[in-house]
Amino acid sequence: MTQGVRGTRDFYPEDMRVRNWLFEKFHSAARSHGFEEYDAPVLETEELYTRKSGEEITQQLYNFEDKGGRKVALRPEMTPSLARMVMARSGALALPIKWYSIPQCWRYERTQRGRGREHYQWNVDIWGAGGIEADAEIVSVLVHFFRSVGLSSEDLVIRVSSRKVLEEVLGSLGVTGGAFSETCIIVDKMDKLPAEAIEAQLTELGLGPDAISTIQSVLGIKDMGDLEGALGSTSEAVSELGSMFSLFESYGIGDWVELDASVVRGLAYYTGPVFEAHDRAGELRAVCGGGRYDRLIGTLGGKDLPATGFGFGDMVVMELLRDKGLVPDVPHGAQDVVFGMGAGLRGAAMEVASAIRSGGRSADLVLEDKKMKWVFKHAERLGAERLVMVMPDEWSRGAVKIKHLGSGEESEVPFDQL
RNA sequence: GCUGUGAUGGUGUAGCGGUUAGCACGGUGGGUUGUGGUCCCGCCGGCCCGGGUUCGAGUCCCGGUCACGGCCCCA
Protein backbone atom coordinates (compact mmCIF):
# COMPACT_ATOMS: atom_id res chain seq x y z
CA MET A 1 0.00 0.00 0.00
CA THR A 2 2.85 2.34 0.71
CA GLN A 3 4.59 1.34 -2.46
CA GLY A 4 4.27 3.27 -5.65
CA VAL A 5 4.32 1.88 -9.18
CA ARG A 6 7.57 0.13 -10.10
CA GLY A 7 10.20 2.44 -11.49
CA THR A 8 8.61 5.59 -10.12
CA ARG A 9 9.92 7.84 -7.38
CA ASP A 10 8.44 9.71 -4.47
CA PHE A 11 9.88 13.09 -3.67
CA TYR A 12 9.66 13.81 0.05
CA PRO A 13 10.27 17.44 1.00
CA GLU A 14 13.98 16.84 1.55
CA ASP A 15 14.20 15.24 -1.92
CA MET A 16 12.09 17.99 -3.39
CA ARG A 17 14.48 20.65 -2.10
CA VAL A 18 17.30 19.02 -4.02
CA ARG A 19 15.15 18.55 -7.10
CA ASN A 20 14.09 22.18 -7.02
CA TRP A 21 17.70 23.21 -6.65
CA LEU A 22 18.59 21.20 -9.77
CA PHE A 23 15.60 22.48 -11.73
CA GLU A 24 16.42 26.04 -10.77
CA LYS A 25 19.85 25.51 -12.36
CA PHE A 26 18.10 24.22 -15.50
CA HIS A 27 15.82 27.25 -15.55
CA SER A 28 18.57 29.78 -15.06
CA ALA A 29 20.91 28.27 -17.66
CA ALA A 30 18.10 28.36 -20.22
CA ARG A 31 16.96 31.84 -19.25
CA SER A 32 20.51 33.16 -19.34
CA HIS A 33 20.51 32.30 -23.04
CA GLY A 34 17.12 33.87 -23.70
CA PHE A 35 15.00 30.72 -23.76
CA GLU A 36 11.35 30.68 -22.73
CA GLU A 37 9.55 27.91 -20.91
CA TYR A 38 6.65 25.91 -22.37
CA ASP A 39 4.77 22.78 -21.34
CA ALA A 40 2.53 20.10 -22.83
CA PRO A 41 0.47 17.19 -21.48
CA VAL A 42 2.16 14.01 -20.21
CA LEU A 43 -0.43 12.06 -22.13
CA GLU A 44 -0.26 12.06 -25.92
CA THR A 45 -1.73 9.98 -28.70
CA GLU A 46 0.33 6.86 -29.30
CA GLU A 47 0.52 7.75 -32.95
CA LEU A 48 2.87 10.60 -32.18
CA TYR A 49 5.55 8.07 -31.30
CA THR A 50 5.00 5.13 -33.61
CA ARG A 51 7.85 5.63 -36.01
CA LYS A 52 8.22 1.84 -36.39
CA SER A 53 11.97 1.94 -36.28
CA GLY A 54 14.36 0.11 -34.04
CA GLU A 55 14.59 2.92 -31.57
CA GLU A 56 14.43 1.98 -27.91
CA ILE A 57 12.15 4.85 -27.27
CA THR A 58 9.27 3.61 -29.40
CA GLN A 59 9.57 0.06 -28.12
CA GLN A 60 9.50 1.07 -24.51
CA LEU A 61 6.40 3.13 -24.84
CA TYR A 62 4.25 3.31 -21.69
CA ASN A 63 0.97 3.06 -23.56
CA PHE A 64 -2.64 1.97 -23.04
CA GLU A 65 -6.16 2.44 -24.30
CA ASP A 66 -8.31 5.06 -22.60
CA LYS A 67 -11.99 4.56 -21.78
CA GLY A 68 -12.96 5.94 -25.16
CA GLY A 69 -10.85 3.30 -26.91
CA ARG A 70 -8.18 5.80 -27.94
CA LYS A 71 -4.59 4.61 -28.04
CA VAL A 72 -2.58 6.90 -25.83
CA ALA A 73 0.93 6.95 -24.38
CA LEU A 74 2.76 8.67 -21.58
CA ARG A 75 5.34 10.75 -23.41
CA PRO A 76 8.75 9.01 -23.64
CA GLU A 77 10.36 12.28 -24.75
CA MET A 78 9.30 15.85 -25.26
CA THR A 79 10.43 16.53 -28.83
CA PRO A 80 7.35 15.12 -30.63
CA SER A 81 5.03 17.18 -28.41
CA LEU A 82 7.11 20.23 -29.13
CA ALA A 83 7.00 19.47 -32.84
CA ARG A 84 3.24 19.14 -32.60
CA MET A 85 2.96 22.51 -30.87
CA VAL A 86 5.25 24.20 -33.36
CA MET A 87 3.41 22.62 -36.29
CA ALA A 88 0.03 23.79 -34.95
CA ARG A 89 1.26 27.39 -34.95
CA SER A 90 3.58 27.07 -37.89
CA GLY A 91 2.60 30.28 -39.61
CA ALA A 92 2.15 32.31 -36.46
CA LEU A 93 5.48 31.93 -34.71
CA ALA A 94 8.13 34.61 -34.98
CA LEU A 95 11.15 32.54 -35.84
CA PRO A 96 13.53 31.50 -34.58
CA ILE A 97 11.97 30.35 -31.33
CA LYS A 98 14.07 29.35 -28.33
CA TRP A 99 12.03 27.25 -25.95
CA TYR A 100 12.78 24.98 -23.01
CA SER A 101 10.85 22.69 -20.69
CA ILE A 102 11.40 20.24 -17.83
CA PRO A 103 8.82 17.54 -18.59
CA GLN A 104 8.37 14.26 -16.80
CA CYS A 105 8.90 11.49 -19.35
CA TRP A 106 8.00 7.81 -19.16
CA ARG A 107 9.23 4.53 -20.57
CA TYR A 108 8.29 0.96 -19.85
CA GLU A 109 11.43 -1.08 -19.34
CA ARG A 110 13.44 -3.05 -16.84
CA THR A 111 14.66 -0.71 -14.15
CA GLN A 112 18.36 -0.27 -13.55
CA ARG A 113 20.74 2.18 -11.96
CA GLY A 114 20.01 5.60 -13.42
CA ARG A 115 17.10 4.19 -15.40
CA GLY A 116 13.68 4.31 -13.86
CA ARG A 117 10.38 4.26 -15.68
CA GLU A 118 9.95 7.94 -15.12
CA HIS A 119 12.35 10.84 -15.13
CA TYR A 120 12.47 14.55 -15.69
CA GLN A 121 14.13 15.56 -18.91
CA TRP A 122 15.26 19.11 -19.40
CA ASN A 123 14.70 20.01 -23.06
CA VAL A 124 16.21 23.01 -24.76
CA ASP A 125 15.47 23.64 -28.43
CA ILE A 126 15.79 26.21 -31.16
CA TRP A 127 13.39 26.08 -34.12
CA GLY A 128 13.67 28.01 -37.32
CA ALA A 129 17.42 28.53 -37.35
CA GLY A 130 19.17 26.26 -39.80
CA GLY A 131 22.76 27.26 -39.23
CA ILE A 132 25.29 25.63 -36.95
CA GLU A 133 25.27 28.80 -34.85
CA ALA A 134 22.07 27.48 -33.30
CA ASP A 135 23.70 24.14 -32.55
CA ALA A 136 26.62 25.88 -30.89
CA GLU A 137 24.27 28.07 -28.83
CA ILE A 138 22.52 24.93 -27.59
CA VAL A 139 25.82 23.44 -26.45
CA SER A 140 26.64 26.71 -24.73
CA VAL A 141 23.47 26.40 -22.61
CA LEU A 142 24.63 22.97 -21.60
CA VAL A 143 28.07 24.12 -20.53
CA HIS A 144 26.56 27.08 -18.71
CA PHE A 145 24.49 24.63 -16.69
CA PHE A 146 27.44 22.34 -15.93
CA ARG A 147 29.51 25.24 -14.70
CA SER A 148 26.65 26.54 -12.55
CA VAL A 149 26.50 23.30 -10.58
CA GLY A 150 30.25 23.16 -10.12
CA LEU A 151 31.14 20.61 -12.78
CA SER A 152 34.18 21.21 -14.93
CA SER A 153 35.54 20.00 -18.24
CA GLU A 154 37.64 17.58 -16.20
CA ASP A 155 34.49 15.89 -15.01
CA LEU A 156 32.66 15.87 -18.32
CA VAL A 157 33.21 15.83 -22.03
CA ILE A 158 30.77 16.67 -24.79
CA ARG A 159 31.44 14.47 -27.77
CA VAL A 160 30.33 16.00 -31.02
CA SER A 161 29.83 14.64 -34.49
CA SER A 162 27.32 14.93 -37.30
CA ARG A 163 24.86 12.56 -38.85
CA LYS A 164 26.30 13.82 -42.11
CA VAL A 165 29.54 11.93 -41.44
CA LEU A 166 27.77 8.61 -41.58
CA GLU A 167 25.43 9.85 -44.28
CA GLU A 168 28.34 10.69 -46.56
CA VAL A 169 30.10 7.40 -45.86
CA LEU A 170 26.97 5.38 -46.44
CA GLY A 171 26.02 7.49 -49.44
CA SER A 172 29.28 6.56 -51.10
CA LEU A 173 28.39 2.93 -50.36
CA GLY A 174 24.94 3.35 -51.87
CA VAL A 175 23.03 3.29 -48.56
CA THR A 176 20.42 6.03 -48.27
CA GLY A 177 16.95 6.79 -46.90
CA GLY A 178 15.43 4.37 -44.41
CA ALA A 179 18.46 2.09 -44.43
CA PHE A 180 20.52 5.09 -43.37
CA SER A 181 18.49 5.90 -40.26
CA GLU A 182 18.35 2.21 -39.35
CA THR A 183 22.10 2.03 -39.65
CA CYS A 184 22.39 4.99 -37.31
CA ILE A 185 20.29 3.24 -34.70
CA ILE A 186 22.47 0.12 -34.90
CA VAL A 187 25.70 2.08 -34.83
CA ASP A 188 24.51 4.00 -31.77
CA LYS A 189 24.65 0.73 -29.83
CA MET A 190 28.25 -0.02 -30.76
CA ASP A 191 29.57 0.52 -27.27
CA LYS A 192 26.70 -1.34 -25.65
CA LEU A 193 26.70 -4.48 -27.80
CA PRO A 194 29.57 -6.77 -28.84
CA ALA A 195 31.13 -6.11 -32.23
CA GLU A 196 29.80 -9.38 -33.68
CA ALA A 197 26.23 -8.43 -32.84
CA ILE A 198 26.66 -5.06 -34.55
CA GLU A 199 28.19 -6.69 -37.60
CA ALA A 200 25.39 -9.24 -37.78
CA GLN A 201 22.80 -6.52 -37.66
CA LEU A 202 24.52 -4.45 -40.33
CA THR A 203 24.86 -7.54 -42.52
CA GLU A 204 21.16 -8.11 -42.11
CA LEU A 205 20.59 -4.61 -43.48
CA GLY A 206 22.42 -5.69 -46.61
CA LEU A 207 25.83 -4.22 -45.93
CA GLY A 208 28.88 -6.17 -47.09
CA PRO A 209 32.00 -6.82 -45.00
CA ASP A 210 33.96 -4.06 -46.79
CA ALA A 211 31.21 -1.53 -46.12
CA ILE A 212 31.09 -2.56 -42.48
CA SER A 213 34.80 -2.16 -42.02
CA THR A 214 34.70 1.24 -43.73
CA ILE A 215 31.96 2.34 -41.35
CA GLN A 216 33.90 1.08 -38.37
CA SER A 217 37.10 2.82 -39.35
CA VAL A 218 35.39 6.17 -40.01
CA LEU A 219 33.49 5.98 -36.76
CA GLY A 220 36.76 5.51 -34.91
CA ILE A 221 37.92 8.99 -35.98
CA LYS A 222 38.46 11.56 -33.22
CA ASP A 223 40.40 14.21 -35.12
CA MET A 224 39.38 16.76 -37.75
CA GLY A 225 42.41 16.01 -39.92
CA ASP A 226 41.60 12.31 -40.07
CA LEU A 227 37.98 13.10 -40.80
CA GLU A 228 38.94 15.28 -43.74
CA GLY A 229 41.27 12.53 -44.93
CA ALA A 230 38.41 10.05 -44.89
CA LEU A 231 35.63 12.21 -46.32
CA GLY A 232 37.58 14.55 -48.60
CA SER A 233 38.04 18.30 -48.51
CA THR A 234 34.67 18.99 -50.15
CA SER A 235 32.77 17.14 -47.45
CA GLU A 236 29.90 19.10 -45.95
CA ALA A 237 30.25 17.21 -42.69
CA VAL A 238 33.88 18.27 -42.42
CA SER A 239 33.30 21.95 -43.12
CA GLU A 240 30.29 22.07 -40.82
CA LEU A 241 32.07 20.40 -37.92
CA GLY A 242 35.15 22.53 -38.51
CA SER A 243 33.06 25.68 -38.22
CA MET A 244 31.29 24.39 -35.16
CA PHE A 245 34.51 23.77 -33.29
CA SER A 246 35.64 27.26 -34.10
CA LEU A 247 32.35 28.62 -32.71
CA PHE A 248 32.94 26.61 -29.55
CA GLU A 249 36.24 28.45 -29.17
CA SER A 250 34.42 31.77 -29.49
CA TYR A 251 32.05 30.69 -26.74
CA GLY A 252 35.04 29.79 -24.59
CA ILE A 253 33.93 26.20 -24.23
CA GLY A 254 36.60 24.58 -26.39
CA ASP A 255 37.90 22.43 -23.55
CA TRP A 256 34.47 20.84 -23.07
CA VAL A 257 34.04 19.50 -26.59
CA GLU A 258 35.70 16.78 -28.61
CA LEU A 259 35.15 15.37 -32.05
CA ASP A 260 34.01 11.77 -31.87
CA ALA A 261 32.64 10.29 -35.08
CA SER A 262 31.08 7.37 -33.22
CA VAL A 263 28.40 9.65 -31.78
CA VAL A 264 25.31 9.20 -33.93
CA ARG A 265 22.45 9.06 -31.35
CA GLY A 266 19.75 6.42 -31.28
CA LEU A 267 16.84 8.51 -32.49
CA ALA A 268 15.82 8.26 -36.12
CA TYR A 269 15.05 11.93 -36.61
CA TYR A 270 18.52 13.48 -36.31
CA THR A 271 19.91 14.99 -39.50
CA GLY A 272 22.98 17.12 -38.71
CA PRO A 273 25.27 17.83 -35.77
CA VAL A 274 24.75 15.46 -32.83
CA PHE A 275 26.36 15.38 -29.41
CA GLU A 276 26.42 13.57 -26.10
CA ALA A 277 27.82 14.54 -22.73
CA HIS A 278 29.60 11.84 -20.75
CA ASP A 279 31.43 11.72 -17.46
CA ARG A 280 35.16 11.57 -18.17
CA ALA A 281 35.53 8.57 -15.87
CA GLY A 282 33.13 6.66 -18.13
CA GLU A 283 31.26 5.15 -15.20
CA LEU A 284 27.82 6.40 -16.09
CA ARG A 285 25.57 6.33 -19.08
CA ALA A 286 25.30 9.49 -21.19
CA VAL A 287 24.33 12.53 -19.13
CA CYS A 288 22.52 14.09 -22.05
CA GLY A 289 22.28 14.02 -25.81
CA GLY A 290 20.98 16.09 -28.62
CA GLY A 291 21.40 17.33 -32.12
CA ARG A 292 19.78 18.73 -35.18
CA TYR A 293 16.50 17.33 -36.49
CA ASP A 294 15.46 19.35 -39.51
CA ARG A 295 12.97 16.87 -40.93
CA LEU A 296 10.91 15.84 -37.91
CA ILE A 297 7.81 17.84 -38.79
CA GLY A 298 7.89 16.32 -42.26
CA THR A 299 7.60 12.83 -40.79
CA LEU A 300 4.58 14.03 -38.79
CA GLY A 301 2.93 15.27 -41.97
CA GLY A 302 3.81 18.94 -41.84
CA LYS A 303 6.23 21.25 -43.57
CA ASP A 304 9.81 20.84 -42.39
CA LEU A 305 11.35 23.44 -40.16
CA PRO A 306 14.99 23.37 -39.04
CA ALA A 307 15.41 22.52 -35.38
CA THR A 308 18.11 21.60 -32.91
CA GLY A 309 18.13 20.83 -29.23
CA PHE A 310 18.95 18.42 -26.44
CA GLY A 311 17.32 16.28 -23.79
CA PHE A 312 18.89 16.05 -20.37
CA GLY A 313 17.65 13.55 -17.75
CA ASP A 314 17.67 14.31 -14.04
CA MET A 315 18.85 10.90 -12.85
CA VAL A 316 22.32 10.46 -14.33
CA VAL A 317 23.44 13.99 -13.58
CA MET A 318 22.33 13.62 -9.96
CA GLU A 319 24.45 10.49 -9.65
CA LEU A 320 27.40 12.36 -11.06
CA LEU A 321 26.82 15.31 -8.72
CA ARG A 322 26.58 12.97 -5.74
CA ASP A 323 29.80 11.20 -6.75
CA LYS A 324 31.54 14.56 -6.95
CA GLY A 325 30.05 15.81 -3.68
CA LEU A 326 28.38 18.72 -5.47
CA VAL A 327 24.86 18.30 -4.15
CA PRO A 328 24.27 21.09 -1.62
CA ASP A 329 22.42 20.81 1.67
CA VAL A 330 19.37 22.80 0.80
CA PRO A 331 17.82 24.33 3.93
CA HIS A 332 14.14 24.05 4.79
CA GLY A 333 13.52 27.70 4.08
CA ALA A 334 11.55 29.03 7.06
CA GLN A 335 13.42 32.02 8.44
CA ASP A 336 11.46 32.40 11.67
CA VAL A 337 9.64 30.07 14.01
CA VAL A 338 6.84 31.75 15.89
CA PHE A 339 5.69 30.26 19.15
CA GLY A 340 2.92 31.36 21.49
CA MET A 341 3.35 30.24 25.05
CA GLY A 342 0.15 28.44 25.96
CA ALA A 343 -3.28 28.33 24.32
CA GLY A 344 -4.14 31.78 25.64
CA LEU A 345 -1.53 33.35 23.38
CA ARG A 346 -2.45 31.37 20.28
CA GLY A 347 -4.23 34.37 18.75
CA ALA A 348 -1.37 36.67 19.65
CA ALA A 349 1.08 34.28 17.98
CA MET A 350 -1.02 34.39 14.84
CA GLU A 351 -0.96 38.18 14.86
CA VAL A 352 2.81 38.09 15.23
CA ALA A 353 3.26 35.52 12.48
CA SER A 354 1.02 37.52 10.15
CA ALA A 355 3.00 40.69 10.80
CA ILE A 356 6.27 38.91 10.09
CA ARG A 357 4.90 37.35 6.92
CA SER A 358 3.55 40.68 5.68
CA GLY A 359 6.99 42.07 6.27
CA GLY A 360 8.36 39.60 3.77
CA ARG A 361 9.93 37.01 6.03
CA SER A 362 8.84 33.39 6.08
CA ALA A 363 7.51 32.23 9.40
CA ASP A 364 6.57 28.78 10.61
CA LEU A 365 3.93 29.08 13.30
CA VAL A 366 3.75 26.42 16.01
CA LEU A 367 0.12 25.33 15.82
CA GLU A 368 -0.26 23.24 18.94
CA ASP A 369 0.71 23.33 22.59
CA LYS A 370 4.33 22.31 22.64
CA LYS A 371 7.05 22.48 25.18
CA MET A 372 9.88 24.93 24.87
CA LYS A 373 12.23 22.01 24.39
CA TRP A 374 10.29 20.82 21.37
CA VAL A 375 10.15 24.32 19.94
CA PHE A 376 13.90 24.74 20.05
CA LYS A 377 14.47 21.35 18.51
CA HIS A 378 11.96 22.14 15.81
CA ALA A 379 13.57 25.49 15.00
CA GLU A 380 16.95 23.82 14.80
CA ARG A 381 15.67 21.10 12.50
CA LEU A 382 14.24 23.68 10.14
CA GLY A 383 17.47 25.65 10.21
CA ALA A 384 15.51 28.78 11.13
CA GLU A 385 17.40 32.00 11.79
CA ARG A 386 15.21 33.28 14.61
CA LEU A 387 12.82 32.02 17.21
CA VAL A 388 10.04 34.50 17.94
CA MET A 389 8.46 33.81 21.33
CA VAL A 390 5.15 35.29 22.33
CA MET A 391 5.19 35.13 26.14
CA PRO A 392 2.73 36.47 28.71
CA ASP A 393 4.96 39.17 30.33
CA GLU A 394 6.38 40.51 27.10
CA TRP A 395 3.02 40.38 25.33
CA SER A 396 1.40 42.37 28.12
CA ARG A 397 3.93 45.08 27.30
CA GLY A 398 3.04 44.73 23.61
CA ALA A 399 6.31 43.01 22.74
CA VAL A 400 7.78 39.64 21.82
CA LYS A 401 11.09 38.00 22.59
CA ILE A 402 13.26 37.22 19.59
CA LYS A 403 16.20 34.86 19.83
CA HIS A 404 18.78 34.52 17.07
CA LEU A 405 19.51 30.82 16.94
CA GLY A 406 22.97 31.18 15.48
CA SER A 407 24.43 33.62 18.01
CA GLY A 408 22.16 32.89 20.94
CA GLU A 409 21.50 36.62 21.28
CA GLU A 410 18.02 37.61 22.30
CA SER A 411 16.09 40.80 22.61
CA GLU A 412 12.65 42.13 23.32
CA VAL A 413 11.02 43.69 20.25
CA PRO A 414 7.82 45.76 20.33
CA PHE A 415 5.07 44.33 18.15
CA ASP A 416 4.85 47.42 15.94
CA GLN A 417 8.56 47.13 15.11
CA LEU A 418 8.34 43.59 13.77
C1' G B 1 13.40 -13.54 -20.21
C1' C B 2 18.04 -14.76 -17.26
C1' U B 3 20.98 -13.81 -12.94
C1' G B 4 22.99 -11.82 -8.14
C1' U B 5 21.90 -9.55 -3.45
C1' G B 6 18.59 -8.30 0.15
C1' A B 7 13.82 -7.93 3.28
C1' U B 8 14.53 -6.77 11.51
C1' G B 9 10.23 -0.91 15.41
C1' G B 10 7.71 4.90 11.56
C1' U B 11 13.08 5.66 9.35
C1' G B 12 18.31 3.87 9.07
C1' U B 13 20.66 -0.38 10.93
C1' A B 14 23.29 -4.55 14.44
C1' G B 15 22.42 -9.53 15.50
C1' C B 16 24.04 -15.32 11.68
C1' G B 17 20.67 -21.89 15.95
C1' G B 18 19.34 -20.68 22.67
C1' U B 19 19.94 -12.66 23.45
C1' U B 20 14.72 -9.66 28.06
C1' A B 21 16.32 -9.03 19.60
C1' G B 22 20.97 -4.16 20.49
C1' C B 23 21.86 0.95 18.64
C1' A B 24 20.72 5.81 16.32
C1' C B 25 16.88 9.07 14.62
C1' G B 26 11.65 9.67 15.65
C1' G B 27 7.35 9.77 19.08
C1' U B 28 6.13 10.31 24.23
C1' G B 29 6.81 11.37 29.71
C1' G B 30 10.30 13.31 33.14
C1' G B 31 15.16 15.50 35.29
C1' U B 32 18.64 19.66 34.51
C1' U B 33 17.40 24.80 32.72
C1' G B 34 16.18 31.54 32.48
C1' U B 35 9.02 28.16 30.87
C1' G B 36 15.21 27.56 26.76
C1' G B 37 18.88 24.35 21.71
C1' U B 38 23.37 20.70 24.94
C1' C B 39 23.16 16.77 28.55
C1' C B 40 20.68 12.65 31.53
C1' C B 41 16.68 9.01 32.61
C1' G B 42 11.96 6.24 31.66
C1' C B 43 8.37 4.61 28.16
C1' C B 44 6.15 3.41 22.95
C1' G B 45 7.31 0.48 18.87
C1' G B 46 10.01 -4.61 15.02
C1' C B 47 12.17 -10.06 12.81
C1' C B 48 7.88 -9.79 4.69
C1' C B 49 4.38 -14.25 3.80
C1' G B 50 3.67 -19.85 3.69
C1' G B 51 5.77 -24.46 4.56
C1' G B 52 9.95 -27.52 6.49
C1' U B 53 14.48 -29.09 9.61
C1' U B 54 15.36 -28.79 15.03
C1' C B 55 14.31 -29.84 21.92
C1' G B 56 14.73 -24.72 20.15
C1' A B 57 14.58 -20.56 13.90
C1' G B 58 15.24 -13.33 13.08
C1' U B 59 19.26 -16.83 12.19
C1' C B 60 19.33 -23.11 8.39
C1' C B 61 16.32 -25.36 3.93
C1' C B 62 12.22 -24.97 0.11
C1' G B 63 8.40 -21.99 -2.14
C1' G B 64 6.09 -17.13 -2.72
C1' U B 65 5.96 -11.81 -2.72
C1' C B 66 8.47 -7.28 -2.98
C1' A B 67 12.90 -4.23 -3.45
C1' C B 68 17.70 -3.10 -5.35
C1' G B 69 21.77 -4.33 -8.80
C1' G B 70 23.80 -6.82 -13.41
C1' C B 71 22.70 -8.91 -18.16
C1' C B 72 19.57 -10.30 -22.38
C1' C B 73 15.89 -8.34 -25.43
C1' C B 74 15.54 -3.95 -27.34
C1' A B 75 15.68 -5.04 -35.75
Side-chain angles (χ1 to χ4, degrees):
Chain A
M1 217 49 222
T2 56
Q3 245 160 7
V5 172
R6 185 188 183 89
T8 62
R9 298 169 291 171
D10 290 323
F11 290 87
Y12 286 86
E14 63 268 29
D15 308 317
M16 205 61 200
R17 286 182 223 153
V18 176
R19 181 175 121 184
N20 283 333
W21 166 79
L22 178 72
F23 284 16
E24 192 40 54
K25 299 293 182 183
F26 286 159
H27 285 295
S28 58
R31 288 194 199 112
S32 76
H33 283 63
F35 285 74
E36 281 193 294
E37 191 175 12
Y38 68 95
D39 200 5
V42 195
L43 196 63
E44 289 277 8
T45 58
E46 189 189 287
E47 189 193 10
L48 192 59
Y49 308 108
T50 46
R51 292 188 285 263
K52 56 180 173 248
S53 45
E55 299 173 63
E56 292 190 30
I57 213 152
T58 53
Q59 283 155 20
Q60 296 171 167
L61 213 55
Y62 212 125
N63 58 347
F64 54 95
E65 237 177 57
D66 72 9
K67 288 178 179 174
R70 284 172 283 262
K71 290 187 165 182
V72 292
L74 296 174
R75 62 181 168 214
E77 54 165 341
M78 194 57 160
T79 309
S81 301
L82 174 58
R84 186 175 59 68
M85 288 169 72
V86 170
M87 199 160 58
R89 290 267 170 99
S90 55
L93 296 167
L95 300 175
I97 53 169
K98 297 165 72 178
W99 290 2
Y100 80 96
S101 191
I102 311 175
Q104 189 181 33
C105 297
W106 296 77
R107 55 196 161 188
Y108 195 88
E109 65 166 354
R110 188 86 175 90
T111 55
Q112 275 175 54
R113 181 177 189 228
R115 251 214 292 193
R117 285 184 173 174
E118 150 275 311
H119 71 152
Y120 288 87
Q121 193 190 56
W122 181 37
N123 277 250
V124 178
D125 294 87
I126 299 178
W127 286 74
I132 48 164
E133 292 79 5
D135 301 272
E137 174 84 346
I138 286 285
V139 175
S140 172
V141 175
L142 197 53
V143 173
H144 190 99
F145 163 80
F146 286 141
R147 284 176 173 153
S148 76
V149 293
L151 289 165
S152 77
S153 58
E154 287 177 18
D155 303 315
L156 285 159
V157 58
I158 302 167
R159 302 205 175 97
V160 183
S161 183
S162 173
R163 273 283 167 95
K164 287 181 182 169
V165 171
L166 201 54
E167 197 177 8
E168 288 175 16
V169 172
L170 291 171
S172 71
L173 296 166
V175 181
T176 56
F180 166 63
S181 48
E182 284 186 46
T183 307
C184 290
I185 291 159
I186 296 168
V187 168
D188 179 55
K189 296 172 194 156
M190 275 208 333
D191 53 353
K192 294 188 233 169
L193 264 55
E196 307 85 65
I198 297 292
E199 283 165 26
Q201 292 179 16
L202 290 174
T203 306
E204 210 176 303
L205 265 181
L207 294 174
D210 289 353
I212 292 174
S213 76
T214 305
I215 291 170
Q216 285 171 332
S217 76
V218 171
L219 292 178
I221 292 173
K222 292 182 165 42
D223 175 77
M224 282 306 295
D226 293 346
L227 191 67
E228 186 167 346
L231 298 179
S233 55
T234 58
S235 158
E236 206 180 315
V238 170
S239 69
E240 201 174 81
L241 284 168
S243 313
M244 257 186 99
F245 279 95
S246 115
L247 295 181
F248 291 147
E249 290 303 326
S250 305
Y251 274 110
I253 58 174
D255 49 339
W256 289 79
V257 288
E258 276 176 19
L259 174 72
D260 185 335
S262 69
V263 174
V264 297
R265 304 292 299 145
L267 291 168
Y269 51 64
Y270 288 117
T271 54
V274 285
F275 60 87
E276 281 172 2
H278 289 263
D279 61 308
R280 290 260 187 200
E283 285 164 4
L284 305 168
R285 43 181 58 241
V287 173
C288 80
R292 178 161 286 281
Y293 50 102
D294 288 345
R295 291 193 289 276
L296 178 56
I297 290 194
T299 67
L300 295 173
K303 187 164 169 265
D304 282 332
L305 192 62
T308 182
F310 65 78
F312 188 118
D314 68 320
M315 291 180 88
V316 179
V317 74
M318 281 310 299
E319 288 196 41
L320 181 62
L321 290 169
R322 268 185 213 108
D323 286 355
K324 303 279 177 190
L326 292 171
V327 182
D329 281 324
V330 188
H332 172 281
Q335 295 171 295
D336 294 342
V337 168
V338 178
F339 173 59
M341 173 78 43
L345 288 171
R346 188 69 41 75
M350 288 174 178
E351 277 182 60
V352 169
S354 296
I356 289 172
R357 290 164 179 165
S358 300
R361 287 181 69 85
S362 58
D364 181 60
L365 175 63
V366 177
L367 300 170
E368 300 171 291
D369 267 332
K370 290 289 183 186
K371 299 187 172 167
M372 216 46 184
K373 186 178 283 192
W374 182 92
V375 175
F376 268 88
K377 223 171 172 182
H378 176 68
E380 199 172 359
R381 268 200 288 251
L382 296 193
E385 293 159 23
R386 311 188 305 176
L387 178 57
V388 179
M389 292 171 277
V390 184
M391 320 248 260
D393 291 353
E394 286 83 352
W395 190 245
S396 67
R397 295 193 289 271
V400 297
K401 198 179 253 188
I402 295 183
K403 178 150 186 165
H404 289 261
L405 280 318
S407 60
E409 265 178 76
E410 65 178 36
S411 53
E412 193 171 315
V413 178
F415 177 77
D416 52 21
Q417 286 173 34
L418 276 172

